[in-house]
Amino acid sequence: MSGTDDHLSFPTEFYDAYIFDMDGTIYLGDQLLPGVKRLIEELRRRNLPVRYLSNNPTKDPQLYVEKLAKLGLPTDISDIANTVVTMTNWLKTHHPDAVIFPIAEQPLINAFAQAGLRMSDNPEEIDIVVASYDRTFTYEKLQIAFDAIWFHKRAKLVATNPDRYCPFPGGRGEPDCASIIAAIEACTQTQCEMVIGKPNPAMLEAAIAGLDVDPARCMMVGDRLGTDIQMAVRTSMVSAMPLTGDSTLEEALALDAKDQPDFILDRLDRLIPASEWESLGWSETDE
């Protein structure tokens, strides 16, 4: 971390609950990031609530449970919230009778069906177009959205998340929901009316549901300034950004002080106060 050490900052106390982004924070691809396993195990040992939060709508919560288990982090399904959950709940609460056209992969479509939401690809009856991270996106789907929103002038556009891309190991990635939103907005000359994922506070509500905790005593940990950290800012949560994913130290320091993370970490186990490391027998080289 040469050249950046002066800008790193670490907590000196434990918080009442910890909410973690996953891609770029807990893992990259199929590899846990440094310090993650022993951090999570120590938080669990202290009976501090751990929740996982993701803007990725291509996996349902059970798939995350299975992935985390394979990585050595056994997790209850109730500890996971993602945009499959929050988008479904938002539609059920605010538009239970609407006809939905999901530009989405199967997990989100399945969740809508299980929730009893009506779906259609007929532009004449679509009320809401839901844009999401969709690797099956086609011109045909764009045409249906265009017809429903622009030609028939009846549908509105909402989206699961604002992410530009999904990170891969090695620095590569693939286009995420923002590219789908942009395509629809460009041809329809309309604006997306609601984005449910981080930084929308609805994601925080999903993450801490059932926990009797003050958001100001919760810590949001994530690698993206525009989603993870911005959600923490909007909800008065404590925030920590590991330099293991999307956003960089330079980008964080360029922000106004009010929008910067409270803590910037080189590895995730820095969330355990340094005063505890000796008693735990931890060293810098341990994973």
Side-chain angles (χ1 to χ4, degrees):
M1 298 301 298
S2 176
T4 67
D5 295 44
D6 291 344
H7 298 293
L8 300 180
S9 54
F10 314 125
T12 58
E13 63 175 319
F14 288 98
Y15 289 85
D16 295 344
Y18 292 80
I19 302 168
F20 294 94
D21 172 58
M22 287 185 273
D23 297 326
T25 300
I26 295 294
Y27 53 73
L28 271 177
D30 293 322
Q31 295 293 322
L32 280 181
L33 287 161
V36 168
K37 191 172 192 295
R38 68 179 184 177
L39 164 70
I40 300 299
E41 289 176 347
E42 181 61 17
L43 294 178
R44 299 279 195 198
R45 187 180 74 82
R46 292 173 179 267
N47 294 316
L48 293 170
V50 171
R51 298 291 185 267
Y52 297 102
L53 195 58
S54 176
N55 268 0
N56 190 334
T58 67
K59 297 182 177 70
D60 62 34
Q62 181 59 38
L63 291 176
Y64 282 114
V65 168
E66 294 168 4
K67 177 164 187 172
L68 290 168
K70 288 179 182 177
L71 294 174
L73 298 176
T75 304
D76 290 336
I77 197 167
S78 60
D79 292 343
I80 294 174
N82 72 335
T83 46
V84 169
V85 175
T86 51
M87 176 56 81
T88 304
N89 289 344
W90 183 80
L91 288 169
K92 283 172 59 180
T93 300
H94 298 284
H95 301 282
D97 300 319
V99 177
I100 313 298
F101 175 56
I103 299 178
E105 297 188 16
Q106 208 58 45
L108 189 60
I109 294 170
N110 290 345
F112 288 174
Q114 290 167 8
L117 295 170
R118 185 181 169 201
M119 291 174 280
S120 174
D121 59 4
N122 180 355
E124 296 183 12
E125 61 181 13
I126 295 167
D127 300 309
I128 299 176
V129 173
V130 176
S132 75
Y133 175 15
D134 183 7
R135 292 162 296 186
T136 65
F137 185 54
T138 62
Y139 193 87
E140 181 182 6
K141 291 182 179 182
L142 181 60
Q143 182 72 62
I144 293 169
F146 175 82
D147 288 343
I149 295 170
W150 186 84
F151 182 70
H152 293 290
K153 302 190 185 308
R154 59 173 290 123
K156 64 181 180 179
L157 175 64
V158 302
T160 54
N161 59 296
D163 301 81
R164 296 177 295 108
Y165 74 97
C166 182
F168 287 173
R172 190 171 170 268
E174 63 186 13
D176 205 323
C177 186
S179 60
I180 312 295
I181 297 171
I184 298 169
E185 288 182 336
C187 66
T188 61
Q189 296 184 311
T190 191
Q191 295 292 311
C192 183
E193 296 187 20
M194 174 66 71
V195 180
I196 294 300
K198 297 175 290 184
N200 191 318
M203 290 293 281
L204 169 65
E205 295 169 8
I208 65 173
L211 296 179
D212 184 19
V213 293
D214 179 353
R217 288 293 306 165
C218 296
M219 176 179 278
M220 177 68 216
V221 186
D223 65 298
R224 294 193 172 198
L225 290 165
T227 54
D228 304 310
I229 305 307
Q230 187 55 226
M231 186 182 74
V233 169
R234 292 184 183 182
T235 55
S236 300
M237 294 175 65
V238 180
S239 61
M241 188 183 85
L243 299 174
T244 53
D246 180 43
S247 296
T248 66
L249 177 65
E250 292 74 21
E251 290 169 337
L253 297 177
L255 296 173
D256 292 339
K258 65 179 178 61
D259 293 321
Q260 292 181 8
D262 294 300
F263 304 103
I264 299 177
L265 319 167
D266 55 341
R267 49 187 288 154
L268 219 60
D269 48 6
R270 303 287 191 190
L271 294 177
I272 300 298
S275 59
E276 301 287 334
W277 279 45
E278 184 175 353
S279 64
L280 291 168
W282 287 7
S283 73
E284 297 278 347
T285 57
D286 292 337
E287 290 299 311

